[in-house]
Amino acid sequence: MDLLTLLLLAVGLSMDAFAVAICKGLAMQKLTWKKCCIVGGWFGGFQALMPFTGYVLGIQFEKYINVIAPWIAFVLLGFIGANMIREALGEDEECETDTLGVKEMFMMAVATSIDALAVGVTFACVPVVIAANAGGMFNTLTGCLMIGATTFILSVAGVRVGNVFGAKYKNRAEIAGGVILVLLGIKILLEHYGILG
């Protein structure tokens, strides 16, 4: 997985957090940078931690799944992306409150980053290559930190967007994130069979 693919993956994964951050911003009467950073820190931190955890779990089974690795990546990314699109098109969405308590933020951070755990498993199947001379663990850790940083930035922006514009962009963000993940799954499969690059 190259740098561009990783950046697209980071944006796609962060769309759930972005959508929830919009709702948080919508519910806030008084917006401060501290509140934005709290939301971004929770979501970004878990989006970095979950794929790394998935990677560590995935490398335990790497030797058994190498043959079907591109298919695993395709199925996981396709399923996650399709689920994001389905949720965005659903009508029973509810917005969050402005509470930033540990218990609520922890639950939301886990809920918005659980998909990243599955993506981390794909890192064991389709290795992250950011620095060619670096080891797999360094590249994967760097990739996970990039996902976390991207989510942090987009979550902070989401709180602001929600506070200023309301929930207008929430569903569009989730649909865009879902489409990106589905397309990345297809790209990995096509590259494996030499159809792309």
Side-chain angles (χ1 to χ4, degrees), residues 55-69 72 121 124-125:
Y55 169 74
V56 170
L57 294 172
I59 58 174
Q60 307 302 317
F61 306 103
E62 182 182 8
K63 60 185 173 187
Y64 304 111
I65 58 177
N66 269 342
V67 177
I68 56 169
I72 292 171
V121 174
C125 305

Side-chain angles (χ1 to χ4, degrees), residues 87-163:
E87 285 177 4
L89 297 175
E91 294 180 13
D92 57 342
E93 291 275 332
E94 58 182 58
C95 260
E96 305 295 334
T97 65
D98 66 344
T99 307
L100 298 176
V102 172
K103 183 179 176 184
E104 183 180 348
M105 291 305 298
F106 175 80
M107 288 171 37
M108 284 192 308
V110 170
T112 57
S113 66
I114 202 73
D115 296 347
L117 182 68
V119 169
V121 174
T122 69
F123 289 170
C125 305
V126 182
V128 176
V129 181
I130 296 171
N133 297 333
M137 185 64 79
F138 173 82
N139 280 320
T140 301
L141 186 57
T142 303
C144 292
L145 291 174
M146 285 175 59
I147 291 170
T150 302
T151 303
F152 174 84
I153 291 166
L154 288 175
S155 295
V156 168
V159 174
R160 182 79 178 141
V161 166
N163 191 258

